Amino acid sequence: MLYYPHYTPSQERLRSLLLFSDKVSLIVPNVDQFGVKRRQRIDEVLSQDDSLIEMKDPTYRYSGWMDKDGVAQATENLIAKLVEETEQEGDLTPIHFDQYGHVSPGQDDEIAVRWSQKGWKYVAEEKFPPNFRDIFFTDGMALRVGHFRNPETGDVIEHNGVLCHPVLADFVLARMAREASIVDGLPSITFGGINYVNHLFDGDQTHRADRFKLLQSSMDLFVPNNIRSSNIHDFFSIRQEYEGVRRLVWRYLEDISREQNLDLEMKDQETLLERLEDARNSIDDELTSIKKQIGRDRFTAGTLFAFEAASTIGLAALGAHLGGPLAAAGTTSLGIAVLGGARKMSTLGKKQDGTAKSIAMSIAKIERRGVPARRAVPNYWL
């Protein structure tokens, strides 16, 4: 699986991805990979099995999305809209640049306001399409600030950091990840509604809503609740035991995908996302019912991850209405206003083949004993 938009997910999200995948791919420029590998949640996994996490340098590799018809112009339109909105708000001091287009020294306060108060995000410069960087870096919505350091440790997180308006940052990261998914033939996964919309939506291009998208909308319902508290050795033991559960989950999701026609190409993204939300609701209802049968206080929706499905549906509806590949990216505030009518009632019939019960019982078994007993495992897991 290919994770985006950050360099790394949190520990519990990383562990959850490793339950469902043989390898997790991260998009990290070469210059930043050493520091990312030193992060505790990454290092502890690599120290047990260095094949489970791979890092992909995006430099000159995932920029094809800007070459598609109309995307460059649409990007310029989005940036112009953000510039206009920022100027209307009138509470940001203009930034001055040096002859190379980088932020001039002595503007730490202006940078701090954008980051800490306005929610701007740091993005590695290598993630921007190299042939179109003038589009991004000339209007003050993406600022090349150089080294971005961890405020607590002082360690360099990004050597070529760009402080970016959050709407533009989410769009660039998601579109780049979509291109990476196509180039490398890997299913991509994220944990954020707006990023998900940007990743899927592409004007008139059709998209396939397969089991990976259904997994993204429902992963938290299948994850044992003790993966966060387990030490790394116990997590690998859980992961080994979970291999059987993973096969059951994939079969379960494939069945639901067929029942809901989620493997068909759909131009209407709102319908696609409504079906994913409907499927998630059905899975949640079925697992909740089984939970009551087996007496386990478990499987409450969204405990680990917020999929933001209702928000995603609202944004997709606006994207379809406004048109263009960037429509959903620029309507975050509007998306909140339509949440009330976004959620749909589940119409999925209950499955009667016992797969869900087997999944629930297996997960409950892992959780019930807290820390699994040690068993014989390959040397590279110890």
Side-chain angles (χ1 to χ4, degrees):
M1 291 183 185
L2 178 72
Y3 168 77
Y4 74 100
H6 310 105
Y7 278 180
T8 65
S10 66
Q11 181 192 68
E12 60 185 324
R13 288 174 172 176
L14 175 62
R15 290 183 174 187
S16 298
L17 292 177
L18 288 170
L19 291 181
F20 288 94
S21 178
D22 294 329
K23 178 187 295 183
V24 174
S25 297
L26 308 174
I27 304 174
V28 184
N30 281 334
V31 69
D32 294 330
Q33 289 184 10
F34 177 76
V36 172
K37 290 178 180 179
R38 291 177 56 198
R39 297 183 186 183
Q40 191 270 336
R41 59 185 177 276
I42 301 296
D43 178 66
E44 67 177 9
V45 173
L46 294 177
S47 66
Q48 305 298 313
D49 186 344
D50 61 8
S51 70
L52 293 181
I53 298 175
E54 68 171 349
M55 299 188 186
K56 295 182 173 293
D57 179 18
T59 308
Y60 300 107
R61 183 172 172 82
Y62 305 134
S63 58
W65 61 272
M66 278 290 284
D67 296 322
K68 293 180 173 62
D69 290 343
V71 174
Q73 183 60 57
T75 303
E76 291 188 73
N77 294 342
L78 173 62
I79 293 174
K81 177 182 177 181
L82 297 177
V83 170
E84 180 181 359
E85 292 176 350
T86 301
E87 290 177 347
Q88 289 176 352
E89 293 173 358
D91 54 356
L92 289 179
T93 303
I95 295 292
H96 301 287
F97 303 92
D98 63 21
Q99 60 180 324
Y100 303 106
H102 295 83
V103 173
S104 300
Q107 302 181 86
D108 292 348
D109 291 343
E110 289 81 357
I111 296 299
V113 167
R114 286 166 168 77
W115 183 44
S116 61
Q117 297 182 23
K118 297 298 181 179
W120 286 39
K121 300 180 180 181
Y122 279 92
V123 180
E125 184 174 347
E126 292 88 344
K127 293 186 176 182
F128 289 86
N131 295 335
F132 296 91
R133 288 180 181 175
D134 287 346
I135 292 178
F136 295 101
F137 298 147
T138 56
D139 292 314
M141 295 297 100
L143 310 173
R144 287 185 282 188
V145 295
H147 287 183
F148 170 49
R149 297 180 181 274
N150 185 316
E152 298 179 358
T153 66
D155 294 336
V156 175
I157 297 176
E158 293 175 358
H159 285 78
N160 299 306
V162 174
L163 186 62
C164 194
H165 189 289
V167 172
L168 184 60
D170 285 347
F171 174 75
V172 169
L173 291 170
R175 299 299 297 186
M176 181 212 58
R178 185 178 185 276
E179 183 75 10
S181 180
I182 295 171
V183 170
D184 292 329
L186 294 172
S188 59
I189 194 162
T190 187
F191 300 101
I194 183 63
N195 287 323
Y196 190 50
V197 170
N198 290 340
H199 193 43
L200 285 176
F201 194 72
D202 193 14
D204 294 330
Q205 182 174 331
T206 58
H207 296 282
R208 192 172 288 276
D210 54 24
R211 59 179 180 156
F212 288 101
K213 296 182 179 66
L214 182 53
L215 174 65
Q216 173 160 303
S217 70
S218 57
M219 179 183 292
D220 57 294
L221 302 177
F222 299 107
V223 175
N225 61 14
N226 55 345
I227 63 166
R228 174 194 290 180
S229 58
S230 301
N231 64 44
I232 190 62
H233 299 289
D234 293 327
F235 165 70
F236 271 90
S237 183
I238 290 174
R239 184 173 184 266
Q240 184 186 37
E241 184 168 356
Y242 198 85
E243 288 180 0
V245 181
R246 176 168 60 170
R247 289 191 290 270
L248 289 174
V249 170
W250 282 128
R251 189 177 78 185
Y252 182 61
L253 296 180
E254 285 175 347
D255 289 345
I256 292 176
S257 294
R258 283 195 296 268
E259 290 177 7
Q260 287 287 285
N261 292 322
L262 293 181
D263 288 326
L264 297 178
E265 291 182 341
M266 292 181 248
K267 292 185 179 181
D268 183 352
Q269 176 159 326
E270 183 179 9
T271 299
L272 182 157
L273 292 168
E274 286 176 359
R275 289 188 182 184
L276 290 176
E277 169 72 347
D278 193 44
R280 176 193 165 87
N281 290 340
S282 179
I283 294 168
D284 187 20
D285 290 345
E286 186 164 19
L287 293 178
T288 298
S289 175
I290 294 170
K291 173 199 70 175
K292 293 177 180 178
Q293 295 175 26
I294 65 177
R296 291 285 293 162
D297 184 15
R298 177 65 181 97
F299 306 114
T300 55
T303 52
L304 288 180
F305 318 121
F307 176 58
E308 304 171 4
S311 175
T312 300
I313 292 172
L315 289 164
L318 288 167
H321 174 70
L322 297 174
L326 304 189
T331 55
T332 309
S333 59
L334 295 176
I336 298 173
V338 299
L339 296 187
R343 188 174 180 87
K344 305 296 181 182
M345 294 298 293
S346 176
T347 58
L348 243 173
K350 298 298 182 186
K351 296 175 62 56
Q352 301 297 327
D353 63 358
T355 303
K357 187 171 184 178
S358 296
I359 293 170
M361 293 290 287
S362 297
I363 295 175
K365 179 183 177 183
I366 293 174
E367 293 177 344
R368 185 164 53 244
R369 67 187 194 179
V371 176
R374 296 292 174 84
R375 64 166 77 183
V377 296
N379 290 337
Y380 56 83
W381 280 5
L382 296 176

